[in-house]
Amino acid sequence: MPTSKQLDAKYYMPAFGRDMEIVRGRDCHVWDSTGKKYLDLVAGIAVCSTGHCHPAVTAAICKQAQTLIHCSNLYYVPGQAELAAKLSKASGLGKVFFGNSGAEANDAAMKLAIRATGRHEFVSFEHDFHGRTVGSLACTHKPAIRVPFEPLGIPCKFGPYGDIEALKDLVTKKTAAVMFEPIQGETGVIIPPDDFLPGIRDICDDTGALMICDEVQTGMGRTGKWFAFQHSAVQPDIISLAKGVASGIPMGAIIAREGLEFTRGEHGSTFAGGPVACAAGNATFDVLKSVVPKVAAKGERFRKGLAHLNPRVRGLMVGFTAGEKSPAIAEYCREHGVLINVAGGENIRIVPPLVINNREIDHAIAIINEAAESV
Ligand SMILES: Cc1ncc(COP(=O)(O)O)c(C=O)c1O
């Protein structure tokens, strides 16, 4: 009987670098196929915000799966409008449209911006990551993953992240939208200066471009508020979400300001906002209501415990630069039962389930400090 690893080598396209098989998860822990237990500070890359298999989320998924798994958007979908209402109210924005992933949500945001402005050009930032569909990839900076697929048909200019002066020269009356991460996640938790979001807002207001805030990684309480833009005083025109929305059931969404919406036939998707995803999303939201207010303090505990590594912290998005030692630090932690990951080549990223407790945080801090000292 071939192992999964052997079958993967033979039958699965080798687009991922991986060597570990995770077979079970519970709360903040996962187990590999040898039975080894890990404290999981990766959380499926900032996805499993309620922890693994939270009983309320699992029960909601199971109940919905026994009632109706799929019906299509030709009909009202159970739980869809309820989840839209929760997300709309939490964001203070207007209407919601669901998708199946972060990249798809960003594509929807881009389509809405094109439709609303009649313009076709975009501006994004160096080291921003927005996804790998043709649209979102056009606004993803990393040349190694974008350039081999060009031309993508969507012009996008990239400015230095956080630099409002430089942005002024890039945004014109031809720009449909400025798309940005409020904190860069895939690059290793890079936090921009406080004037970044207000500066983008002003430039967009001056030029008629829309402001698309990619909250795929930062949204759903990750930074200690429902959405990272809420740390600033401004509102984007559109935000995109995915990752933490449904605790690991694929789901993306956009939320646009009042009056900005697709009209009939302008956008659609067979699976998006399906009954099981919405059941997971509703249960996730309800669990997170009491968790989000505690996230900032948990982040501060990480900041204190990792102080000598100069961590960058916003809620439970924690990163520090470790240079070429990064892979060895991650490997040491893995050997000692703690999963963290390397982001942007030289940074360690820590994005645990938002339900992580103080004892688990202290254990993680001890192992990470040990790793940083010993590699
Ligand atoms: C900020 C951001 N935007 C978009 C994406 C793409 O999301 P997905 O992988 O669900 O398509 C990611 C994924 O890491 C992300 O971090």
Side-chain angles (χ1 to χ4, degrees), residues 44-47 100-106 128-133 136 140 179-187 214-218 240-243 250-252 317 349:
I45 319 186
V47 167
N100 303 288
S101 69
E104 212 186 294
N106 284 332
D128 257 28
F129 184 86
H130 296 296
R132 294 186 185 248
T133 53
S136 62
T140 288
M179 179 140 82
F180 65 97
E181 292 183 80
I183 296 172
Q184 288 182 327
E186 293 306 289
T187 304
D214 178 344
E215 297 257 10
V216 166
Q217 190 154 157
T218 53
S240 54
L241 310 174
K243 291 196 182 278
M251 178 167 239
M317 256 182 116
R349 173 176 48 180

Side-chain angles (χ1 to χ4, degrees), residues 197-217:
L197 271 69
I200 297 175
R201 184 68 275 169
D202 286 345
I203 292 170
C204 286
D205 289 345
D206 288 348
T207 55
L210 298 192
M211 178 176 177
I212 301 176
C213 183
D214 178 344
E215 297 257 10
V216 166
Q217 190 154 157

